Amino acid sequence: MAEESSEKYSCMPKSSKPLSDSESCNMIFTLFGRSPFKPIQQHMQQVFLCVSLLRDLFEILEKNSCFPNGQPSPQLKKAIQAIKEREHLADLTKNDLRRRLEKMLFLPFDRTYLLEILALQDLIADNCEKIAQRTELIPLPILPQWKKQFFALLDQEIKHVESALVVIDEIDALAKSSFGGREAAHLEALIEEIAIGHARCRESEQVFLRELFQHAEQMPYPAFLVWERVIERLGKISFYTEKALYRLKRVLFHLRGFQPRRIES
């Protein structure tokens, strides 16, 4: 009887060993057909679209006719509204994805990691909206002395977020390689490059602020204060982008079975 039973189940492995976290993760993705990283990817796409609209906003502000009769022009209002609507759409996406993440079962890591990343991405879009709100308060001159530097800084910040989107979108390819090997090394290298990019953004912000202070007398004091707040908010965009990616890196380390070093907030 015992021999018959063993022959009947001969297709079963005679010995098994515990699955690693990455193998468990792959099995779960296969069984349930959906990666838990999809919500993060979808939200980050909305966030990047919000950030990219800042370029259109400041190109309109570059024109001196943005405040006829002391009120924002229709063109400026339209650009500001586009950012507000995109941020609101990112908010709706965040709330929906948060509910879906809370319902996901059998995650091979703490869902808090993903919720933290989602919250940090949300702060990026929030700061875009705050910048847009500042620009509708008073006429905001873009002086020719530092116009080139400002747009270079703005493009640098937008590129920073776009690079983060590329990293987050590549997680699916990493999952196929069990979160290890060449794909993991490539993704970690990209995250480190973005960290260096954040440091460069900080340097560019300081350079621009020096220019702003040097030419402060050439604009009304309220406009100078608004510009100072705008640059502060731009800095937060790259800051929260880097923090979101470091949280993502913690997840990747966890899935590979390593304990990452503590990253200070």
Side-chain angles (χ1 to χ4, degrees):
M1 189 73 174
E3 291 178 4
E4 184 180 337
S5 177
S6 66
E7 288 177 6
K8 183 178 179 180
Y9 299 104
S10 59
C11 60
M12 298 294 291
K14 294 182 179 179
S15 64
S16 61
K17 58 181 181 179
L19 292 174
S20 66
D21 285 343
S22 59
E23 289 171 332
S24 299
C25 185
N26 270 351
M27 180 180 291
I28 290 164
F29 293 173
T30 302
L31 286 172
F32 294 93
R34 185 170 181 85
S35 165
F37 296 107
K38 285 292 182 187
I40 300 298
Q41 294 167 334
Q42 292 171 7
H43 185 252
M44 191 59 178
Q45 288 165 3
Q46 296 292 342
V47 170
F48 171 67
L49 289 173
C50 186
V51 175
S52 62
L53 288 172
L54 288 175
R55 192 38 150 127
D56 297 336
L57 173 64
F58 282 100
E59 285 177 353
I60 292 170
L61 279 171
E62 188 183 357
K63 302 172 183 177
N64 295 324
S65 57
C66 285
F67 276 80
N69 304 318
Q71 295 296 322
S73 67
Q75 192 179 13
L76 179 59
K77 286 182 178 179
K78 185 178 179 180
I80 293 170
Q81 188 61 28
I83 292 176
K84 289 181 177 180
E85 288 176 359
R86 183 60 65 178
E87 192 277 337
H88 180 63
L89 185 58
D91 261 349
L92 293 177
T93 305
K94 174 199 69 178
N95 294 335
D96 177 55
L97 298 177
R98 184 176 287 166
R99 286 191 294 268
R100 283 160 53 189
L101 278 173
E102 289 171 354
K103 292 178 182 178
M104 278 188 174
L105 302 176
F106 307 111
L107 287 177
F109 48 83
D110 190 342
R111 73 186 69 247
T112 303
Y113 288 142
L114 295 182
L115 292 172
E116 284 178 354
I117 295 170
L118 197 60
L120 289 166
Q121 290 179 176
D122 185 53
L123 286 171
I124 299 169
D126 283 348
N127 277 281
C128 285
E129 185 183 33
K130 291 292 191 296
I131 290 171
Q133 289 171 342
R134 294 289 184 274
T135 62
E136 65 180 340
L137 295 175
I138 57 173
L140 205 58
I142 297 181
L143 301 182
Q145 292 91 331
W146 45 256
K147 178 180 76 173
K148 185 176 179 181
Q149 283 181 313
F150 170 72
F151 278 105
L153 170 61
L154 181 60
D155 289 339
Q156 199 173 359
E157 298 281 356
I158 295 171
K159 183 67 177 176
H160 193 67
V161 180
E162 184 179 21
S163 299
L165 175 61
V166 170
V167 169
I168 292 170
D169 279 345
E170 286 192 10
I171 296 177
D172 290 335
L174 183 60
K176 294 177 182 178
S177 64
S178 298
F179 296 93
R182 189 176 299 174
E183 284 290 341
H186 171 66
L187 212 61
E188 287 177 20
L190 286 178
I191 293 173
E192 292 303 322
E193 284 179 18
I194 291 173
I196 295 171
H198 171 60
R200 289 172 180 161
C201 285
R202 294 295 298 272
E203 290 173 5
S204 298
E205 289 160 21
Q206 290 301 312
V207 170
F208 177 76
L209 281 173
R210 281 195 290 270
E211 288 289 324
L212 186 67
F213 275 90
Q214 287 175 7
H215 299 94
E217 295 179 356
Q218 298 181 30
M219 67 180 77
Y221 184 66
F224 170 78
L225 287 179
V226 172
W227 267 116
E228 196 176 15
R229 296 294 182 272
V230 165
I231 300 306
E232 180 184 349
R233 294 289 178 180
L234 276 178
K236 288 183 178 181
I237 287 174
S238 60
F239 172 72
Y240 288 124
T241 300
E242 186 191 24
K243 285 194 75 172
L245 287 183
Y246 269 117
R247 293 294 187 275
L248 177 62
K249 191 174 180 180
R250 289 173 68 92
V251 175
L252 300 182
F253 268 112
H254 179 84
L255 291 171
R256 294 173 64 187
F258 294 109
Q259 180 65 34
R261 60 183 175 82
R262 180 176 176 80
I263 300 170
E264 298 295 336
S265 300

